[in-house]
Amino acid sequence: MAPASPGSESAGESLAEDTQASDLARIRAELTQISTNMLSKSDTGSLVQELRAALREELAGLRSDLTALEQRVDEMESTARGCEEQHRATEVAVTRQGNMLLTMRRQVEDLENRSRRNNIRVRGLPESGTESLHATLTDLFRQLLGVQAPDTIHFDRAHRALGPARQDGSPRDVICCISTCGLRDKIMAAARELPASGTARQKSHYTKTYPA
């Protein structure tokens, strides 16, 4: 192998030096760019202040939202308390009205019972030929009472039982209300003393007399 010539060695050394110089230049350029892009201390301080200001704004918004939410919760609790009080008052009023209705119902039942106290139900009185119930009942009760019959018998009301005519042809009952309780008791006592068969004259006017 032939020894290297002095010219080739000097050319290799110059190529290595050029490569090192280009690398150093590239490294210096990169370091310069990094130092340029790095934030300075003043820039860092301003950024921190901006972050603090943004955080303060966000916290202030959260505080205002929390305050509004607290107010709404207070209003809802106040409304709920008002509704509860109104509900209790309504329950008391409904209970009072229920008691009043029960009392009124008892009073109405008592009045109905009192209004029926002097009623007499007459069965078997023909519907034909008895258009004037007052006159027919007066004659009937006078026959029952005999010598105890008063001169006049006053009726608060007298009418046939409600409902259509019976299909079997039997007459509807007659319900009358005597004005005097004592006279009603006398009529009922006289009706109870009648014999079960009765006379033909009695049968022609009535069959039975009942309290109504």
Side-chain angles (χ1 to χ4, degrees), residues 9-24:
E9 290 178 0
S10 60
E13 291 177 358
S14 62
L15 180 60
E17 290 177 358
D18 293 338
T19 302
Q20 291 178 357
S22 62
D23 292 337
L24 290 175

Side-chain angles (χ1 to χ4, degrees), residues 107-122:
Q107 292 177 353
V108 170
E109 290 179 353
D110 181 67
L111 290 174
E112 290 180 351
N113 294 332
R114 289 176 183 272
S115 66
R116 291 193 297 265
R117 181 177 298 176
N118 294 342
N119 284 2
I120 295 178
R121 181 184 293 268
V122 181

Side-chain angles (χ1 to χ4, degrees), residues 1-211:
M1 181 177 180
S5 62
S8 61
E9 290 178 0
S10 60
E13 291 177 358
S14 62
L15 180 60
E17 290 177 358
D18 293 338
T19 302
Q20 291 178 357
S22 62
D23 292 337
L24 290 175
R26 180 174 56 80
I27 292 172
R28 289 192 185 92
E30 291 178 356
L31 291 175
T32 303
Q33 185 177 1
I34 292 172
S35 62
T36 303
N37 294 330
M38 288 181 62
L39 295 175
S40 61
K41 186 176 181 179
S42 59
D43 294 336
T44 305
S46 63
L47 181 59
V48 170
Q49 291 179 358
E50 291 178 359
L51 290 174
R52 288 178 179 177
L55 289 174
R56 290 193 188 96
E57 292 179 358
E58 293 293 334
L59 291 175
L62 289 175
R63 290 192 185 95
S64 62
D65 293 341
L66 290 175
T67 303
L69 183 60
E70 184 178 1
Q71 292 177 355
R72 292 181 61 183
V73 170
D74 293 339
E75 292 176 357
M76 293 177 63
E77 290 180 351
S78 177
T79 303
R81 285 193 296 269
C83 292
E84 184 177 0
E85 293 176 357
Q86 186 176 2
H87 178 67
R88 291 177 180 175
T90 304
E91 286 184 345
V92 173
V94 169
T95 303
R96 187 184 298 112
Q97 290 180 358
N99 295 332
M100 292 175 62
L101 288 175
L102 181 60
T103 303
M104 292 176 63
R105 179 180 178 182
R106 291 175 178 174
Q107 292 177 353
V108 170
E109 290 179 353
D110 181 67
L111 290 174
E112 290 180 351
N113 294 332
R114 289 176 183 272
S115 66
R116 291 193 297 265
R117 181 177 298 176
N118 294 342
N119 284 2
I120 295 178
R121 181 184 293 268
V122 181
R123 292 181 178 174
L125 191 64
E127 295 194 24
S128 61
T130 56
E131 288 78 8
S132 179
L133 291 177
H134 288 77
T136 304
L137 293 173
T138 300
D139 294 339
L140 175 63
F141 293 155
R142 280 181 176 176
Q143 290 182 17
L144 284 174
L145 295 174
V147 295
Q148 298 180 356
D151 296 335
T152 58
I153 299 177
H154 297 285
F155 298 93
D156 290 341
R157 60 184 178 276
H159 57 86
R160 292 278 178 183
L162 300 178
R166 297 175 180 174
Q167 296 181 357
D168 57 359
S170 59
R172 292 173 295 172
D173 297 346
V174 175
I175 302 172
C176 61
C177 180
I178 307 298
S179 301
T180 307
C181 182
L183 180 59
R184 182 258 186 192
D185 294 338
K186 291 180 181 180
I187 294 173
M188 294 305 303
R192 295 188 186 98
E193 292 177 358
L194 288 175
S197 60
T199 63
R201 185 178 180 182
Q202 290 171 342
K203 285 185 178 181
S204 64
H205 285 84
Y206 61 89
T207 301
K208 291 182 180 180
T209 304
Y210 298 92

